[in-house]
Amino acid sequence: MAKATASDFTTDSFKFGDFTKAYADFNKFAADYSKMFANGKAPSFDFEAAFASQRKNVEALTAANQLAFQGAQAVFRRQVELVREAFDRFGSVSKDFVAPGSAEEKLAKQAELSKAAFESALANAREIGELVQKTSEDAIEVISKRVAANFDEVKAALKTKAVKN
């Protein structure tokens, strides 16, 4: 076992810091803190306004979610309608192919039907995309209006606090 020597016990670890700076910092903090209680009044926080603001935030999010849900339902309903229409068209087209006629006539009819089906699919995809876009825009508009109102509320609260001081 090693023996401890006198150099192992330096006095640096037992030195105390300069308290004058800490004391000055504390006095500055205490002075700043006491300014908050000028005229014997404690600073007030308007809990009712904060709760009302949060209530409005929740209402805006609820409205945006409801718009998004209604939009999703509209898209789903439209897709179901499009599928029904496609099955109805398929039924009538299949009857045309089993009807008597030349191969050339059937190929021309098939090309015509394919072109019409492609154009219809593009129009349907565009319509669904526009429904989704409109739904998104409506939901975002509700939220962006609420964000702007939040900024206005904070600005108004800061103005009234500055006037009171």
Side-chain angles (χ1 to χ4, degrees):
M1 199 189 253
K3 292 186 178 183
T5 62
S7 63
D8 291 338
F9 299 103
T10 60
T11 57
D12 289 343
S13 58
F14 297 107
K15 287 185 181 178
F16 295 104
D18 183 15
F19 285 105
T20 56
K21 182 177 180 340
Y23 185 70
D25 289 344
F26 177 77
N27 283 341
K28 183 178 182 265
F29 169 75
D32 290 343
Y33 187 72
S34 66
K35 287 178 188 175
M36 291 174 38
F37 297 96
N39 301 328
K41 294 181 181 178
S44 61
F45 181 76
D46 191 356
F47 285 101
E48 189 58 39
F51 289 140
S53 178
Q54 289 304 315
R55 195 173 311 115
K56 290 176 187 175
N57 290 344
V58 170
E59 288 169 358
L61 286 174
T62 302
N65 283 335
Q66 188 173 12
L67 286 170
F69 182 71
Q70 289 170 350
Q73 284 180 324
V75 166
F76 179 72
R77 279 192 300 268
R78 185 62 185 135
Q79 286 176 331
V80 168
E81 291 171 9
L82 293 173
V83 168
R84 271 195 201 121
E85 290 172 9
F87 275 115
D88 290 344
R89 260 189 261 120
F90 179 73
S92 66
V93 168
S94 61
K95 289 178 188 175
D96 291 342
F97 283 116
V98 293
S102 70
E104 293 83 21
E105 290 174 352
K106 288 184 180 186
L107 284 175
K109 184 76 170 174
Q110 183 178 7
E112 180 183 318
L113 291 173
S114 295
K115 180 181 177 187
F118 180 73
E119 289 171 350
S120 176
L122 283 178
N124 293 341
R126 188 175 298 117
E127 179 185 357
I128 296 294
E130 288 170 357
L131 273 172
V132 169
Q133 182 179 359
K134 171 113 175 64
T135 299
S136 298
E137 288 172 355
D138 291 347
I140 288 172
E141 182 180 351
V142 169
I143 292 173
S144 65
K145 283 181 180 178
R146 184 60 205 139
V147 168
N150 260 342
F151 284 122
D152 292 341
E153 290 170 5
V154 169
K155 192 164 65 171
L158 291 174
K159 279 184 181 177
T160 56
K161 185 167 181 141
V163 170
K164 288 180 183 178
N165 290 340

